[in-house]
Amino acid sequence: LKAVIFDFDETLTCVPSSSFQLEKMKDDYGQPERLQLIRHMLHTLKTKNVQLFILSFAYASTIKNSLKQVELDLFFEDRVFGWDSCRGKKGNFIKHLMDKHNLSFDETLFVDDQPYNIDDAKPHCKTILVQDSGLSHSEIHKIISMTTISDELIKVEQAQNQAAQTQAAQTQSLQNII
């Protein structure tokens, strides 16, 4: 994976954006352990050079304020897109982001709690439908494992390339001897 695009409310948070209250924003992410697990997931993705985006029908300013309150803003930098940016279907905006950042289907994951948003994105990228109010522990671990699988595939591919180069060199040496 090279990019993960998260919905915000009821995906990263456990509540709809209409329920956000500035003084209670830390509570919007669920239990402290869940917030720590989300932080761990984002840190893991970031260390694997995965670009992180938020694409939500909430307003970007609300999202940014919430992220800042729980110190998750640094993971997303200037890649938070709200209703004010992506009016309409999320699939179209995802395609725009993928084109802009030169991302393929297999390199991009979209995570959302609404089936119609997932259906809209399916032609463009991999998807995960959040089953409850907010990412569960198993869904978070699934996202992390998708990057681990990618790492393992890269290692296998590199080993295969190395073996092919070694075989080609040996073949060339034998031809030079003959």
Side-chain angles (χ1 to χ4, degrees), residues 39 41 43 47 65 76 80-81 99 108 118 123 134-135 146 152-154 165 178:
R39 188 174 282 115
M41 171 189 65
H43 175 74
T47 58
N65 284 337
F76 297 97
V80 175
F81 302 96
D99 290 345
T108 310
I118 293 294
L135 282 165
M146 290 176 81
E152 290 172 10
L153 289 174
I154 289 168
Q165 289 173 354
I178 298 173

Side-chain angles (χ1 to χ4, degrees), residues 3-109:
V4 179
I5 304 166
F6 293 97
D7 175 46
F8 186 64
D9 48 315
E10 296 191 85
T11 298
L12 287 178
T13 70
C14 296
V15 298
S17 61
S18 60
S19 301
F20 290 166
Q21 297 175 14
L22 191 58
E23 64 277 359
K24 292 185 176 183
M25 282 194 176
K26 285 188 180 182
D27 297 340
D28 294 341
Y29 292 85
Q31 296 296 318
E33 297 81 23
R34 183 180 177 280
L35 181 58
Q36 278 304 111
L37 190 55
I38 287 175
R39 188 174 282 115
H40 168 73
M41 171 189 65
L42 297 174
H43 175 74
T44 301
L45 294 171
K46 196 79 162 171
T47 58
K48 293 176 181 278
N49 295 316
V50 175
Q51 296 179 70
L52 303 174
F53 298 86
I54 292 178
L55 177 60
S56 175
F57 289 139
Y59 285 96
S61 60
T62 302
I63 298 166
K64 289 175 184 178
N65 284 337
S66 179
L67 292 171
K68 191 170 188 140
Q69 290 290 318
V70 294
E71 300 174 349
L72 295 178
D73 54 322
L74 297 175
F75 292 108
F76 297 97
E77 299 157 9
D78 63 342
R79 294 181 305 271
V80 175
F81 302 96
W83 174 251
D84 37 337
S85 298
C86 70
R87 292 181 159 92
K89 294 186 173 194
K90 288 187 178 181
N92 294 337
F93 198 80
I94 290 167
K95 180 68 173 130
H96 164 76
L97 285 175
M98 291 172 66
D99 290 345
K100 181 177 179 181
H101 295 275
N102 198 25
L103 298 165
S104 70
F105 181 97
D106 290 326
E107 296 171 331
T108 310
L109 173 65

Side-chain angles (χ1 to χ4, degrees), residues 98-164:
M98 291 172 66
D99 290 345
K100 181 177 179 181
H101 295 275
N102 198 25
L103 298 165
S104 70
F105 181 97
D106 290 326
E107 296 171 331
T108 310
L109 173 65
F110 176 58
V111 183
D112 199 296
D113 65 309
Q114 296 295 325
Y116 59 86
N117 289 329
I118 293 294
D119 290 343
D120 199 36
K122 276 185 178 178
H124 309 295
C125 61
K126 296 178 181 181
T127 60
I128 292 178
L129 175 64
V130 176
Q131 297 299 313
D132 205 358
S133 293
L135 282 165
S136 67
H137 288 213
S138 62
E139 290 163 337
I140 290 169
H141 288 295
K142 180 177 181 178
I143 294 167
I144 292 170
S145 72
M146 290 176 81
T147 62
T148 305
I149 291 168
S150 295
D151 288 348
E152 290 172 10
L153 289 174
I154 289 168
K155 287 177 185 174
V156 168
E157 189 175 284
Q158 288 171 341
Q160 289 173 338
N161 288 341
Q162 183 74 29

